[in-house]
Amino acid sequence: MNRLEGASLAYRGFAVMAFLVIILAGIKAASAIVVPFVLSAFIAVICNPVIQLMVRYRFPKLLAVSLLMVFIVLMGLWLASVVGSSINDFSRQLPQYQSQLVEQFAWVLDKLREFNIQISKEKVLALFDPGMALSMTTNMLSGVGNVMANLFLIILTIVFMLFEASDLPKKLHFALDDPDMRLQQIDKVLQSINQYMVIKTLVSVATGVIVGIGLWIIGVDYALLWAVVAFLFNYIPNIGSIIAAVPAVLLAFLQLGPAQAGVVAGLYLGVNTVMGNIVEPKFMGRGLGLSTLVVFLSLIFWGWLLGSVGMLLSVPLTMIVKIALESSNSGKWLAILLSDKVSEDESDKVEQAEQAQ
């Protein structure tokens, strides 16, 4: 009987994995539709507290949504025009920047030879393309820009989502056969994602503003472009701030020299240290309970599945999956693996199971 139960469990596991592969393949194939929808959902989550605040001050909901959408569209068009022109200008000058960077790189190798450190310039340049660091940012911005090309569809989806936001918790409770609102896990999902997205957005805005003003004072070209990059890439955990800093530091090195490049690097380091280690933990409290390894792997996975937008939203998407697994008896073990640490209750259950065996 135990052998049959083990075989049944193994077949069930294979079936779940097969279904998962089919679902992921479908999402990957339909990414042109899925990505704008996911982006619209998270923008609606960010905008919903503003709508609730305006309704609390006696604004009609239709007027509140309309005013917010007009503001978002105007700001989006202004940023798109300014940042788009900066990207085009930067892309035209990118070959010149790349050649200058190669020359500076060769100069460093020549200096190393003076200290009897022999490194072949041809081999190093063949393995490492200095221009890749500069073009990486423009490629990712282009990926986000391609999604925003469906601006009309995204705005319409956001509007309908905002009108449905107040009824969403009730619908989820009824859909999961909980008409008496007893499953607080559903409310936890919505509250956690909403809190994370709002706080992360405010912190990202502050990061972009401080970086933009600092780069403008230092005199780095395209300060507004790097401010937008810092804002967007702050959503990417762990490596986002590093990716955002690399092109600005390299441009400062080519344009102003090593000293100013060091100042720019210090600016990014100081801003991200304060925002990431002081401001965010203060307002987010304990955090979202995801391990560092899971955060990094989720960045790779969602980036592969949904592109640049998936990288920006990797943490909230993984958090939705984790909380959904916690509400399922068969998925709790996977939710524990995604967590940053095991709670005392869970560790007691593990100890009791080991003693029973």
Side-chain angles (χ1 to χ4, degrees):
M1 186 68 178
N2 292 334
R3 184 177 300 176
L4 292 176
E5 290 179 355
S8 176
L9 183 62
Y11 287 133
R12 190 183 307 171
F14 282 122
V16 171
M17 293 298 295
F19 287 139
L20 184 61
V21 170
I22 294 173
I23 292 172
L24 292 178
I27 294 175
K28 183 73 173 177
S31 60
I33 300 175
V34 174
V35 171
F37 175 78
V38 172
L39 184 62
S40 302
F42 282 99
I43 294 177
V45 168
I46 297 170
C47 295
N48 190 48
V50 180
I51 298 297
Q52 292 179 349
L53 182 63
M54 296 176 71
V55 171
R56 195 177 305 161
Y57 283 95
R58 307 296 177 85
F59 277 84
K61 192 168 186 177
L62 178 60
L63 178 61
V65 173
S66 301
L67 290 176
L68 185 60
M69 289 301 102
V70 169
F71 174 77
I72 290 176
V73 170
L74 292 178
M75 287 295 297
L77 292 176
W78 176 74
L79 278 177
S81 63
V82 175
V83 175
S85 61
S86 299
I87 291 177
N88 292 332
D89 191 16
F90 178 72
S91 299
R92 284 194 299 267
Q93 299 189 23
L94 186 59
Q96 178 182 353
Y97 289 142
Q98 289 177 344
S99 61
Q100 292 179 0
L101 192 57
V102 170
E103 292 176 2
Q104 295 289 347
F105 193 74
W107 177 82
V108 172
L109 294 179
D110 293 336
K111 288 295 182 182
L112 291 177
R113 289 195 186 94
E114 296 180 1
F115 296 93
N116 294 325
I117 301 176
Q118 301 294 329
I119 301 177
S120 174
K121 181 178 69 174
E122 290 75 13
K123 291 183 179 180
V124 173
L125 292 179
L127 295 174
F128 173 70
D129 180 11
M132 188 180 299
L134 291 172
S135 60
M136 182 187 303
T137 304
T138 56
N139 292 335
M140 293 197 66
L141 283 176
S142 299
V144 177
N146 293 334
V147 177
M148 294 305 294
N150 299 317
L151 182 61
F152 182 71
L153 175 62
I154 293 175
I155 292 297
L156 278 181
T157 308
I158 294 172
V159 169
F160 288 120
M161 285 181 175
L162 289 175
F163 279 112
E164 294 285 336
S166 58
D167 297 328
L168 181 60
K170 296 180 181 178
K171 289 182 178 180
L172 286 176
H173 280 282
F174 277 96
L176 297 178
D177 196 18
D178 182 41
D180 297 328
M181 310 292 182
R182 289 173 300 186
L183 292 179
Q184 298 183 359
Q185 198 75 14
I186 302 172
D187 302 323
K188 180 183 176 183
V189 173
L190 300 175
Q191 183 180 1
S192 298
I193 299 304
N194 184 71
Q195 179 184 8
Y196 173 81
M197 290 303 298
V198 171
I199 294 177
K200 192 68 175 179
T201 300
L202 294 176
V203 171
S204 299
V205 169
T207 300
V209 170
I210 296 173
V211 166
I213 294 175
L215 293 178
W216 177 73
I217 293 174
I218 296 172
V220 180
D221 290 339
Y222 314 112
L224 180 60
L225 174 62
W226 308 130
V228 175
V229 170
F231 162 72
L232 290 176
F233 281 48
N234 195 58
Y235 284 97
I236 300 177
N238 299 331
I239 66 172
S241 57
I242 298 175
I243 298 175
V246 167
V249 172
L250 290 177
L251 183 60
F253 177 72
L254 298 177
Q255 179 190 348
L256 303 174
Q260 284 77 2
V263 173
V264 171
L267 171 67
Y268 275 93
L269 180 62
V271 171
N272 288 291
T273 299
V274 172
M275 292 296 178
N277 298 327
I278 299 177
V279 177
E280 281 190 16
K282 179 180 179 181
F283 289 100
M284 288 187 181
R286 178 179 170 269
L288 295 176
L290 294 175
S291 70
T292 305
L293 176 61
V294 169
V295 169
F296 181 73
L297 293 178
S298 69
L299 174 68
I300 299 174
F301 172 76
W302 293 111
W304 164 79
L305 188 64
L306 300 176
S308 301
V309 174
M311 296 181 70
L312 296 176
L313 302 177
S314 59
V315 170
L317 287 172
T318 306
M319 194 61 197
I320 292 175
V321 174
K322 176 178 176 293
I323 298 177
L325 291 171
E326 287 176 346
S327 61
S328 171
N329 292 328
S330 60
K332 283 185 177 179
W333 65 273
L334 187 55
I336 294 175
L337 293 179
L338 296 177
S339 303
D340 55 347
K341 58 183 178 180
V342 181
S343 63
E344 295 180 0
D345 295 337
E346 292 169 344
S347 61
D348 292 339
K349 292 179 181 178
V350 173
E351 292 178 359
Q352 292 175 2
E354 292 177 350
Q355 292 175 359
Q357 292 176 355

